[in-house]
């Protein structure tokens, strides 16, 4: 099964993707994680991307696409994947259709995890990520529950950037809801509540 996860920042995309990956062995492709890895590696692409990310803007399409294409070539993608954070604008959605067609793959569903924006700001300010494996947790976790790595607050989860990211979502990414509706691929779940409760809804909605 090949799925796109569509949701505002902090709506719990990453968490739901981690759960689906663990249970169904799907490859988790997070363009945010790929970009953060490029930054950590000190590559020129990472350096260029960082400024956009810290400002809450989208990184230019060509930079993200080159990371995505490389990742889609990995072996683990062959059993299905969850695309977390891509596409994020209509141009990327059109590109994705073409890229998948080239490798004879198809999207089964675009999963929209819907959450009230007021809840999102609170979630993002409390969010922490693992420096080692990218696991997403909250501010009460001292060490990563998955690998024991150090938890930190992403630069773009600081209050100044959160508003810009939500604006970017509303103007650039939310129009994709209509795009995927038009392809008859949109599946919507209520993202409010405990992550495990949301996960039950996600599986039901995807028929898993
Ligand atoms: P969140 O969904 O919580 O904002 P992500 O890790 O998905 O977190 O993304 C973090 C940042 O990485 C985004 O604000 C954006 O700057 C950049 N980014 C991630 N995916 C893309 C993409 N597909 N296109 C452009 N920029 C991206």
């Amino acid at each position: 099964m090949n799925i796109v996860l569509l949701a505002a920042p902090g709506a719990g995309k990453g968490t739901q993707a981690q759960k689906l990956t663990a249970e169904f062995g799907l490859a988790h492709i997070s363009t945010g994680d790929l970009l953060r890895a490029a930054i950590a590696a000190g590559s020129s692409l990472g350096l260029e991307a960082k400024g956009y990310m810290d400002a809450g803007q989208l990184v230019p399409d060509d930079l993200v696409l080159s990371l995505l294409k490389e990742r889609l070539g990995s072996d683990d993608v062959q059993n299905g994947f969850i695309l977390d954070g891509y596409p994020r604008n209509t141009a990327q959605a059109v590109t994705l259709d073409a890229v998948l067609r080239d490798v004879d793959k198809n999207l089964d569903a675009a999963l929209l995890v819907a959450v009230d924006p007021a809840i999102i700001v609170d979630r993002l300010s409390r969010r922490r990520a693992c420096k080692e494996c990218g696991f997403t947790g909250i501010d009460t976790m001292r060490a990563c529950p998955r690998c024991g790595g150090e938890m930190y607050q992403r630069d773009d989860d600081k209050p100044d950037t959160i508003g810009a990211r939500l604006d970017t979502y509303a103007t650039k990414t939310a129009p994709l809801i209509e795009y995927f509706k038009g392809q008859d691929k949109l599946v919507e779940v209520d993202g409010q509540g405990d992550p495990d409760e949301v996960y039950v809804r996600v599986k039901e909605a995807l028929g898993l």
Side-chain angles (χ1 to χ4, degrees), residues 139-192:
D139 54 1
T140 50
M141 293 172 178
R142 293 279 154 260
C144 171
R146 188 160 71 184
C147 77
E150 188 189 334
M151 301 294 283
Y152 78 109
Q153 183 173 39
R154 281 167 35 181
D155 286 341
D156 62 350
D157 278 345
K158 310 240 158 95
D160 286 355
T161 312
I162 291 176
R165 285 165 65 204
L166 291 173
D167 285 350
T168 302
Y169 175 77
T171 54
K172 304 267 161 74
T173 311
L176 292 180
I177 295 171
E178 290 306 316
Y179 181 88
F180 285 116
K181 258 188 204 163
Q183 291 191 343
D184 215 12
K185 291 200 170 144
L186 193 80
V187 174
E188 182 169 348
V189 295
D190 176 3
Q192 248 112 228

Side-chain angles (χ1 to χ4, degrees), residues 32-136:
D33 284 352
L34 294 174
L35 288 163
R36 283 183 287 278
I39 294 171
S43 72
S44 58
L45 186 153
L47 213 65
E48 194 176 341
K50 187 167 172 32
Y52 294 98
M53 292 170 76
D54 288 351
Q57 293 166 3
L58 294 183
V59 172
D61 292 346
D62 56 331
L63 298 187
V64 184
L65 182 62
S66 70
L67 290 175
L68 177 72
K69 276 188 168 163
E70 193 186 324
R71 182 68 183 85
L72 279 173
S74 312
D75 287 346
D76 66 334
V77 172
Q78 308 319 316
N79 297 329
F81 58 80
I82 304 170
L83 213 41
D84 165 5
Y86 195 100
R88 251 177 155 97
N89 60 30
T90 309
Q92 291 184 2
V94 172
T95 303
L96 179 64
D97 283 339
V99 167
L100 291 181
R101 213 177 305 120
D102 275 355
V103 290
D104 243 351
K105 290 189 198 305
N106 200 5
L107 272 187
D108 297 296
L111 179 71
L112 174 65
V113 181
V115 175
D116 180 343
I119 295 180
I120 285 182
V121 176
D122 180 59
R123 282 194 187 174
L124 287 176
S125 355
R126 297 188 57 213
R127 177 159 83 174
R128 298 294 180 272
C130 173
K131 267 196 173 154
E132 303 302 323
C133 74
F135 179 88
T136 307

